């Protein structure tokens, strides 16, 4: 049997080593999970502990090397002490080694890994600020080891030519926004605004334009009374001016230039209209916004590959991609999705197709941008009132058309039992 004092010393040494192992594990988790924005906010308010913690976190590679070196030294020392202790305690090398291995494994897993990491993750900023003075001491005394391992790391990177891309992708940013929203740090409106800002650069003119068939314009040779009537009927403050056809837009007339006080101006239409701004369908809306700002314009004409007019994009259209729908007193509020008394739905066909799928809680995907394009693809012909088709669990009926365009459809959700019966 071993002397009691030596037994006590051995137990105390092992306990101290387990505490150190716990400290290193908790510190690693705390610094990898902490919110730097929160620390910066505390630092700006004069919290010196937050400032020091932030400084340590900025040199994460050096911190991680110190933690790994310290943790490994502690765990190896714990294994060695425990092995000697149990061999002497049991007076048998094989039994002592076996018991030591099992005991150290259980102790390190419970008290050196799982428990400290779980607790540190619950409040990473607080633990990191508590651990900073201690870990700074270990960083100092383990600097020679960290230096050697940093040289080894550089050698490995040169040998294997590893180039890590640490830039965060838009998809990763969207996932981060979802996590922040789920954590309660931002509400749904703020989350939607962030999502719109992240996806802003991915949008092109063709995604948000008003198609040529919906453009309200005036011929360059129009009578002023007719132009005044269009301003009154549409409520628009600006109108495209075209020559012969809408494919040849030659200017944009502003309502404030058209009127001189309460009366219509005496100047001719070519004198008061502004030159149009032309863009391509694939031009990013962020670039269109810059172009409109530099040209001091509010409307951009989107041209097709043949030089004709594909549609127009307004400053308001671009801003709505960021902040959502903007309504003014002249806008007619149109519900794109309306539930009818019989349980079916009226869908306006210029609605976004992805929004319709989301409305019906569907995972389906389609290349068509609008419901109108989707209906055309599904029917494979010019739609007529009364045309129907089924898509997954939706039964779609065309209810309104205008020449070659479909304006509205009726959608009925097919119950699962009914849908299953049809398949059988």
């Amino acid at each position: 049997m071993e002397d009691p004092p030596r037994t006590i010393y051995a137990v105390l040494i092992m306990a101290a080593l387990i505490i150190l192992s716990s400290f290193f594990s908790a510190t690693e988790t705390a610094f990898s999970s902490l919110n730097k924005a929160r620390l910066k906010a505390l630092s700006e308010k004069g919290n010196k502990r937050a400032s020091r913690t932030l400084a340590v976190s900025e040199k994460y590679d050096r911190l991680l090397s110190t933690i790994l070196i310290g943790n490994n030294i502690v765990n190896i020392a714990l294994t060695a002490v425990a092995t000697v202790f149990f061999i002497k305690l049991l007076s048998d090398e094989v039994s002592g080694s076996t018991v030591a291995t099992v005991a150290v494994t259980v102790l390190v897993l419970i008290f050196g890994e799982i428990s400290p990491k779980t607790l540190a993750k619950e409040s990473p900023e607080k633990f990191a600020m508590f651990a900073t003075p201690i870990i700074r001491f270990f960083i100092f005394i383990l600097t020679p080891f960290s230096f050697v391992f940093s040289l080894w790391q550089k050698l490995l990177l040169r040998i294997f030519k590893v180039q890590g891309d640490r830039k965060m992708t838009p998809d990763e940013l969207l996932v981060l926004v979802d996590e922040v929203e789920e954590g309660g740090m931002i509400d749904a409106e703020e989350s939607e605004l962030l999502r719109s800002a992240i996806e802003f650069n991915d949008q092109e003119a063709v995604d948000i334009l008003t198609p040529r068939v919906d453009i309200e314009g005036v011929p360059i040779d129009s009578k002023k009374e007719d132009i005044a009537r269009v301003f009154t009927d549409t409520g628009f403050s600006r109108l495209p001016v075209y020559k012969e056809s809408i494919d040849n837009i030659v200017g944009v007339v502003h309502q404030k230039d058209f009127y001189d006080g309460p009366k219509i101006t005496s100047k001719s239409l070519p004198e008061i209209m502004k030159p149009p701004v032309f863009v391509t369908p694939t031009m990013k809306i962020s670039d269109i916004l810059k172009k409109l700002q530099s040209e001091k314009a509010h409307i951009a004409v989107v041209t097709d590959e043949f030089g004709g007019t594909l549609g127009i994009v307004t400053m308001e259209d671009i801003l709505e991609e960021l902040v959502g729908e903007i309504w003014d007193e002249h806008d007619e509020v149109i519900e794109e999705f309306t539930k009818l008394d019989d349980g079916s739905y009226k869908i306006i066909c210029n609605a976004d197709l992805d929004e319709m799928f989301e409305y019906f809680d569907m995972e389906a995907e389609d290349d068509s941008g609008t419901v109108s394009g989707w209906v055309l693809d599904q029917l494979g012909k010019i739609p007529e009132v009364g045309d129907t088709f089924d898509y997954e669990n939706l039964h779609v009926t065309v209810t309104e058309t205008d020449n070659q365009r479909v304006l509205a459809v009726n959608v009925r959700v097919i119950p699962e039992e009914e849908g299953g019966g049809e398949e059988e």
Side-chain angles (χ1 to χ4, degrees), residues 58-75:
E58 294 295 337
K59 298 178 180 178
Y60 187 74
D61 287 345
R62 186 180 180 188
L63 169 70
L64 186 60
S65 295
T66 300
I67 290 172
L68 292 176
I69 293 168
N71 211 8
N72 276 284
I73 290 173
V74 166
N75 288 338

Side-chain angles (χ1 to χ4, degrees), residues 66-241:
T66 300
I67 290 172
L68 292 176
I69 293 168
N71 211 8
N72 276 284
I73 290 173
V74 166
N75 288 338
I76 291 169
L78 176 62
T79 303
V81 172
T83 301
V84 172
F85 172 75
F86 282 107
I87 287 175
K88 289 186 177 181
L89 182 67
L90 300 176
S91 301
D92 182 78
E93 187 172 338
V94 176
S95 301
S97 300
T98 304
V99 172
T101 301
V102 174
V104 169
T105 301
V106 172
L107 289 172
V108 169
L109 279 176
I110 296 175
F111 300 106
E113 294 289 335
I114 297 173
S115 299
K117 287 186 175 182
T118 301
L119 294 173
K121 193 169 183 179
E122 290 301 312
S123 187
E125 293 82 16
K126 287 184 179 179
F127 189 87
M129 287 191 287
F130 159 76
T132 294
I134 305 171
I135 201 64
R136 286 176 69 186
F137 168 75
F138 282 110
I139 289 173
F140 176 74
I141 64 172
L142 294 176
T143 295
F145 298 98
S146 298
F147 177 73
V148 171
F149 282 110
S150 67
L151 292 178
W152 173 249
Q153 183 182 29
K154 290 177 182 178
L155 179 62
L156 287 177
L157 293 177
R158 283 192 177 185
I159 293 173
F160 295 101
K161 296 180 181 180
V162 179
Q163 293 182 345
D165 185 6
R166 296 189 177 185
K167 291 182 179 179
M168 190 171 284
T169 65
D171 289 338
E172 290 171 337
L173 279 174
L174 291 173
V175 172
L176 182 60
V177 170
D178 288 338
E179 290 177 353
V180 173
E181 183 185 358
E182 290 173 4
M185 297 180 67
I186 59 174
D187 57 29
E189 288 77 13
E190 292 169 328
S191 173
E192 187 61 32
L193 184 60
L194 287 171
R195 283 178 157 277
S196 299
I198 293 168
E199 296 172 342
F200 188 69
N201 281 334
D202 293 332
Q203 298 282 353
E204 298 176 346
V206 71
D207 297 322
I208 66 168
L209 61 76
T210 300
R212 56 169 287 156
V213 294
D214 292 330
I215 295 175
E216 293 286 353
V218 293
I220 194 169
D221 55 359
S222 296
K223 294 180 180 180
K224 290 183 178 178
E225 292 78 10
D226 294 334
I227 299 174
R229 191 178 303 111
V230 176
F231 271 125
T232 302
D233 292 344
T234 62
F236 296 151
S237 60
R238 296 171 180 83
L239 293 172
V241 180

Side-chain angles (χ1 to χ4, degrees), residues 12-28:
L12 290 176
I13 291 171
M14 286 189 289
L17 291 171
I18 290 172
I19 291 172
L20 282 173
S21 176
S22 174
F23 169 78
F24 285 123
S25 296
T27 303
E28 179 185 359

Side-chain angles (χ1 to χ4, degrees), residues 205-206 208-216 240 246-247 249 277-281 299-304 307-314 317:
V206 71
I208 66 168
L209 61 76
T210 300
R212 56 169 287 156
V213 294
D214 292 330
I215 295 175
E216 293 286 353
I246 200 70
D247 279 318
I249 293 177
V277 175
F278 294 100
V279 299
T280 63
I299 294 178
V301 180
V302 185
T303 58
D304 60 23
T309 300
L310 189 64
I312 61 171
V313 172
T314 67
D317 294 330

Side-chain angles (χ1 to χ4, degrees), residues 271-318:
E271 288 180 291
I272 61 174
M273 70 184 188
K274 300 292 191 296
V277 175
F278 294 100
V279 299
T280 63
T282 56
M283 191 171 183
K284 301 292 185 183
I285 62 175
S286 56
D287 295 330
I288 297 175
L289 179 59
K290 293 175 185 176
K291 189 176 181 67
L292 290 175
Q293 289 174 323
S294 65
E295 299 284 344
K296 294 182 173 59
H298 282 254
I299 294 178
V301 180
V302 185
T303 58
D304 60 23
E305 57 184 313
F306 305 107
T309 300
L310 189 64
I312 61 171
V313 172
T314 67
M315 184 78 77
E316 183 176 316
D317 294 330
I318 297 173

